[in-house]
Each structure stands twice: as C-alpha cells, then as structure tokens.
C-alpha cells in the first residue's frame, strides 16, 4: 500500500513539473501585447504564481506595463 501511494505521488509530482514547464513555455511564446495583457490581468495586491511567471518573462524581454 505504501509503495503504491509513493508511486502515485511521484507520478503526480512528475506531471506537475511537466505542466509547469508547459505553462512557462506558453507564456514565453506569447506576443508582447498578449504578455502585457496577461500580466495586467494578474497584476494586483495579491501575488500569484502566474503573475510572477509573466513578470519574469516581461523582465527578460525588457518590457513593462
């Protein structure tokens, strides 16, 4: 039972890492205007992971809101 649970948790963690990489790649593939729109949507008082990813990509491209 414990081995099965560990295998399941490991598989879930691996899928999460792949999904995060896909999200980062999707954000990186956005055109500048679309990236700015995404960053604007997630700009707010409460920081979010997607907002942080968008902000990092904007910094990489040297663009700002």
């Amino acid at each position: 039972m414990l081995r099965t649970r560990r295998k399941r948790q490991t598989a879930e963690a691996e899928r999460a890492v792949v999904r995060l990489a896909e999200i980062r790649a999707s954000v990186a593939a956005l055109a500048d205007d679309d990236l700015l729109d995404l960053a604007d949507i997630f700009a707010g008082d409460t920081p979010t992971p997607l907002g942080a990813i968008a902000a990092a990509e904007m910094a990489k491209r040297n663009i700002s809101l």
Side-chain angles (χ1 to χ4, degrees):
M1 183 82 145
L2 186 57
R3 284 185 186 176
T4 304
R5 185 179 339 157
R6 283 188 184 166
K7 284 182 182 180
R8 182 177 39 85
Q9 289 173 338
T10 300
E12 287 175 2
E14 289 172 355
R15 285 191 300 270
V17 168
V18 169
R19 180 163 290 162
L20 180 58
E22 290 170 345
I23 291 169
R24 287 181 186 271
S26 296
V27 171
L30 291 173
D32 287 350
D33 291 337
D34 294 331
L35 178 60
L36 290 170
D37 289 342
L38 180 68
D40 192 33
I41 290 168
F42 286 96
D45 296 338
T46 307
T48 63
L50 194 50
I53 292 170
E57 183 64 27
M58 288 173 47
K60 190 167 108 178
R61 296 183 192 187
N62 199 24
I63 58 176
S64 62
L65 286 173

